[in-house]
Amino acid sequence: MLEIKALHQSFGEVDVLRDVTFTVNEGEFVAILGPSGSGKSTLFQLIGGILAPKSGAILLHQRPINGEKGHMSYMPQQASLLPWRTVLQNVVLGQEIQGKANKEEAKQWLARVGLASFEEAYPIELSGGMKQRVTFIRALLSDRELLCLDEPFSALDEFTRLEMQTWLLSVWEKHRRSVLFVTHSIEEAIYLADKIVVLTKRPATVKQVINVPFARPRQEALLATTEFIALKQQLFTLIKEEKA
Ligand SMILES: Nc1ncnc2c1ncn2[C@@H]1O[C@H](COP(=O)(O)OP(=O)(O)OP(=O)(O)O)[C@@H](O)[C@H]1O
Ligand SMILES: [Mg+2]
């Protein structure tokens, strides 16, 4: 469905992405793991059409979309809520742009992530984790083919994070949208993804693509299995090489 082909990006003298190639199939959940500063957020800006690549192609259903906006719902690394809008008004923003805001649906989602009583609150009244949850719901509700999440759960405590991961899995297993998910957590990548794209340090290129063999639906008990821990170790070794 989405093909990234020999993508190259630099900022001035600095090469950020070099020959990045991988695919996301229809309904596939793909995690991206790579060192800090390797170009993961840049990759999302390219897919989202905020930046145009220096060379290479981004194809959606075989059609080049280099520099084109509007194909993905995006949850940026920094929660970007509009301070003058309430939580509810922020959540329906993506839908509003597409001319079909559905406040009832938005309220149901807010309730599911424990924010029912914050619908009328303003972003300044929220904790970092709450802002992340609101941004996440907004991305989920703007109805695009591809959902790109840039470290969506990084500001959450470990327990809430696990809760959100399990919740995301249950939502995704019902809807099966194509997801690209950036994380620094190896465990999170394995727990959630069908496929993990491991990037090298800058200039980033694809070091390895690993298929995650675990059946779905996945449950928390998976995290403690020998197979899970072995895969975690394998990925840890790969990523450690990039830190050296
Ligand atoms: N607009 C820009 N102008 C100049 N340099 C940039 C720009 N955007 C990113 N960079 C540089 O590109 C490199 C990759 O940045 P990017 O944010 O994509 O990394 P990342 O993999 O998302 O890192 P992290 O894991 O810390 O979020 C960095 O060296 C950064 O300084
Ligand atoms: Mg980033």
Side-chain angles (χ1 to χ4, degrees), residues 36-42 77 150-151 182 184:
S36 192
S38 60
K40 302 179 296 299
S41 297
T42 303
Q77 198 167 357
D150 199 347
E151 302 189 41
V182 167
H184 282 288

Side-chain angles (χ1 to χ4, degrees), residues 21-234:
T21 300
F22 66 92
T23 57
V24 181
N25 297 320
E26 201 73 56
E28 195 173 35
F29 198 124
V30 178
I32 299 178
L33 273 176
S36 192
S38 60
K40 302 179 296 299
S41 297
T42 303
L43 183 62
F44 275 4
Q45 288 175 345
L46 291 166
I47 297 170
I50 297 161
L51 288 172
K54 293 281 185 301
S55 67
I58 304 165
L59 305 171
L60 190 66
H61 303 297
Q62 281 98 46
R63 199 177 68 79
I65 56 157
N66 288 19
E68 256 180 53
K69 296 196 179 76
H71 299 289
M72 71 174 199
S73 335
Y74 178 44
M75 174 173 172
Q77 198 167 357
Q78 310 296 346
S80 59
L81 300 173
L82 300 176
W84 60 88
R85 285 186 153 227
T86 65
V87 164
L88 185 60
Q89 289 167 343
N90 264 289
V91 165
V92 295
L93 185 66
Q95 297 183 324
E96 227 172 78
I97 293 167
Q98 295 168 305
K100 47 176 181 187
N102 180 343
K103 286 203 171 155
E104 283 319 305
E105 189 189 17
K107 285 181 183 177
Q108 284 169 18
W109 282 107
L110 285 171
R112 265 175 239 171
V113 296
L115 292 174
S117 56
F118 286 87
E119 280 169 16
E120 300 306 322
Y122 286 88
I124 197 166
E125 302 167 63
L126 307 180
S127 71
M130 289 158 106
K131 281 186 204 147
Q132 253 187 336
R133 279 182 267 166
V134 174
T135 318
F136 177 69
I137 300 294
R138 183 177 66 192
L140 197 71
L141 287 181
S142 60
D143 194 21
R144 308 268 165 86
E145 267 188 283
L146 185 67
L147 184 58
C148 289
L149 306 170
D150 199 347
E151 302 189 41
F153 305 140
S154 59
L156 306 178
D157 66 82
E158 206 167 334
F159 188 73
T160 313
R161 184 178 176 128
L162 188 58
E163 221 171 54
M164 287 295 287
Q165 290 166 347
T166 303
W167 172 81
L168 172 64
L169 276 182
S170 68
V171 174
W172 179 81
E173 273 154 8
K174 280 190 211 94
H175 297 275
R176 290 280 171 157
R177 288 172 66 190
S178 304
V179 176
L180 252 179
F181 189 102
V182 167
T183 177
H184 282 288
S185 162
I186 295 174
E187 198 161 85
E188 180 167 84
I190 306 174
Y191 184 40
L192 298 178
D194 296 308
K195 188 161 97 183
I196 302 173
V197 176
V198 181
L199 298 178
T200 63
K201 59 180 178 252
R202 206 182 63 222
T205 186
V206 176
K207 186 178 174 81
Q208 202 163 321
V209 176
I210 292 188
N211 289 307
V212 180
F214 305 120
R216 295 186 188 274
R218 294 184 187 158
Q219 262 111 39
E220 282 167 37
L222 174 66
L223 300 168
T225 61
T226 326
E227 293 80 7
F228 189 93
I229 293 163
L231 186 53
K232 197 170 143 184
Q233 190 58 43
Q234 184 192 341

